[in-house]
Amino acid sequence: MVKGTILAVDDEPDILIALEDLFEDEYQVVTTTKPSEALDILRASPDIAVILSDQRMPGMTGDAMLAEARAFHDAQAILLTGYADMSAVIAALNRGGITGYVTKPWDPVLLRSTIRQAFERHSLARDLATERALLLGLLDNAEDAIAFKDVEGRFVRLNARKAGKLGHTVAECLGRTREELEGGSSGQSPTREADRAAIASGIISETVSAEGPVGAERWSHVTRVPIRGSAGTVTHLATIERDVTEQKNLEARLRQSDKMQALGTLAGGIAHDFNNLLTAILGSLELVGPKIVDQPRVQRLVTNAAQAAQRGASLTKRLLSFSRARDLRPRSVDVNALVTGMDALLGGSLGGLVTITTNLDAGNPAALVDPDQLELAILNLCINARDAMSEGGAISIATGVATVTEDPDLASGDYVTVSITDSGMGIPPEILARVCEPFFTTKSVGQGTGLGLAMVFGLTQQSHGKLGISSEVGQGTRVDLFLPRADTAEERSPIAVGMATGAASPARILVVDDDAEVRHVTASFLNTFGYTETEAANGEAAVAMMERSSFDLVVADLAMPGMTGVELAEIVRRRWSGVPILIVTGHAEAIPIPDDLPVLRKPFDSADLATLVAGMLVPAT
């Protein structure tokens, strides 16, 4: 198998050697220390798929070199930079000069993943370019809609494809204008104006236009070729129309895919830092709780602060749900309680022009579904409903139970239904057939991604359910989610602040986290439980401590500089196989975690930590 080629550019030879060592097994790596030489290499090597360039280099910065390369080469461009250069990175992203960046010192796993994704995007773009070239070759053989008109716009010659687009035969079109054939007024249509402009200029022109209802347009690329007579004046106009709807859709999908990848990377970094802050805040508030039991006014303030921090944790969770796909974690969910719990979220998200009513089944139906993704699906559907009512209106959320039989899309049985109904403008039939397609949207640029309904559709499919949509123009829209019914909803026992379970037996626990505040809160929780805790600021320090002392358990952060929690776990398992390790993380998607490693997600409360620690310290029988 032929290896793909990547070009690494850095003025430090040691960095280039490290990059060669990192990628030589998977790619052919070409290196240079000079940006100008890199441009020469690119001119001579059209097969290079990815450029990985340092930002700060003498003579020319990385973003400037990549911008120049983009003018003549289609390689994916990635900046390798320090945090001090983030303004240059952001500017390059905004200009479209790069498709991503990785900070120094790099995480080998993240850097490999970034290069692999860039290589795959390059391969996809090359495949699309090949497909387009093949398509154009076919269109040259009279597959385009071709017509010849006189200067008054009357058809003098045209092919069957063009006549078919007009809804007539070739004979019916000859001697008549497009406006006459379509029954419109002559003179001021956009097509007629474009024809007149091409005739007046006497030069070949190209335009891209859309026809059809919003959201279901057909895009056409039209080439207008003025034809001069013997006297040198323009006597006729040739038009060559090519359907480019699929091409436009593919380009939009590629652009949206790049945006979502960048959003996911940004959201992951924000979530990690934000969850660390929330862990320290919530943990400190919980630790102070027992000390103010006789001060009700202070307790009220602490409770308000904790509730605000919990809302921040919920916001972070939703941010990650929007930006990154993850495996579903279905469980038995009280759907009524979930809808009721969204009151504040829906009120803040939908604005004051929309009224929300609920009609919840009195039987409290439970569904087998991922509760976080169901909440996100309901929010998406309500936002779509609001957008369909520009001047305000009503949204109704209803729950129920339906017995399904002989449905080709569902197994027979009982299903929980969640229905969202709006009083909006409704959806035309031609658009209704496409609303669940990924990246399909009728919203303006920047106002929608085209992923909302696709995500909801995917949730119902993966949950072994079904999505149904019914709509009538001018009468509103109703969306029904069918979800497998569960016997009863799982109940989570409320845990009082400061009442976490104490230690079942004495134990020495090593807490490893590069964030001093989070480390202190975790250690304080463990001390409160009755365990003996020791703190380490990083993986190397933790290994050194374990070489000097014995511990019964290690609680380690996932994302730490120098050595990740997963890497520390590998060392602990290899050298101290009897010591279990618990991974704590604010963003589990950042680094792959083996399935057999227990994980506690930030922010956490003392009860969650106590339960996990107690279970891991129980000797295996």
Side-chain angles (χ1 to χ4, degrees), residues 272-282 515 518:
H272 178 266
D273 293 341
F274 198 38
N275 280 331
N276 272 349
L277 294 173
L278 291 171
T279 300
I281 293 170
L282 287 168
D515 189 301
V518 175

Side-chain angles (χ1 to χ4, degrees), residues 96-151:
I98 64 173
T99 56
Y101 70 94
V102 175
T103 57
K104 292 180 179 178
W106 62 75
D107 176 347
V109 175
L110 178 59
L111 183 54
R112 286 194 190 97
S113 175
T114 301
I115 293 295
R116 186 177 302 111
Q117 291 172 5
F119 185 83
E120 290 172 355
R121 287 199 302 273
H122 179 268
S123 298
L124 175 59
R126 282 282 178 92
D127 290 342
L128 287 174
T130 300
E131 291 292 334
R132 184 181 179 190
L134 293 172
L135 179 60
L136 292 176
L138 292 173
L139 291 174
D140 286 340
N141 295 304
E143 289 296 322
D144 292 335
I146 302 173
F148 296 87
K149 307 174 184 178
D150 62 21
V151 292

Side-chain angles (χ1 to χ4, degrees), residues 440-495:
F440 177 83
T441 179
T442 61
K443 299 178 183 178
S444 301
V445 175
Q447 296 182 359
T449 63
L451 294 173
L453 275 172
M455 184 279 292
V456 179
F457 178 79
L459 169 66
T460 57
Q461 291 293 300
Q462 292 179 66
S463 301
H464 305 291
K466 178 182 177 180
L467 170 67
I469 305 177
S470 57
S471 184
E472 186 175 344
V473 176
Q475 300 298 316
T477 301
R478 171 174 172 148
V479 180
D480 295 300
L481 309 183
F482 290 79
L483 302 168
R485 186 174 185 180
D487 294 333
T488 56
E490 294 180 5
E491 295 185 1
R492 302 188 70 181
S493 301
I495 304 294

